[in-house]
Amino acid sequence: MGGPLAIGLGVVFMASIGNMFIPPTGALGLGLYSISMYGGLILFGAFLLYDTQHIIRKAETYPLYAARPYDPVNASLRIYIDTLNIFIRIATLLSGGGSKRR
């Protein structure tokens, strides 16, 4: 599951880079903006599910007497970053996307 998520991250990243140079006034700019915002929202929702499952699986199967103890706090930083990305995208969409509509 990590492979398709990485490809999706690359697509959203390239759409975000393209959105910096092409304004969202034309069809191409609006398409890039939509991929960046809505695709990123779906992508980071999937990353949230993937990271949560990864942490649970790692905690259940980690050996009790390993050389390094399992650190769930550092592992949960990925969940925090996913949640932050989702919040930023929802806040941007609710604010009107930075456009001057009235």
Side-chain angles (χ1 to χ4, degrees):
M1 173 111 177
L5 289 176
I7 291 171
L9 184 63
V11 169
V12 169
F13 179 72
M14 294 307 289
S16 297
I17 295 292
N19 201 19
M20 284 193 292
F21 297 110
I22 300 171
T25 55
L28 181 63
L30 282 175
L32 289 176
Y33 178 77
S34 295
I35 290 172
S36 175
M37 296 307 292
Y38 297 112
L41 193 59
I42 293 169
L43 178 75
F44 284 110
F47 263 121
L48 183 65
L49 294 173
Y50 176 75
D51 290 339
T52 303
Q53 184 63 34
H54 186 268
I55 289 172
I56 290 171
R57 185 176 354 107
K58 188 85 159 184
E60 289 176 347
T61 61
Y62 202 77
L64 187 59
Y65 300 106
R68 285 185 354 195
Y70 177 64
D71 189 11
V73 175
N74 281 335
S76 66
L77 285 176
R78 296 190 327 198
I79 292 177
Y80 174 71
I81 291 172
D82 295 337
T83 307
L84 189 64
N85 278 315
I86 290 171
F87 174 75
I88 288 171
R89 281 177 166 66
I90 289 175
T92 303
L93 288 172
L94 289 177
S95 71
S99 63
K100 302 269 185 194
R101 285 187 256 163
R102 289 186 185 218

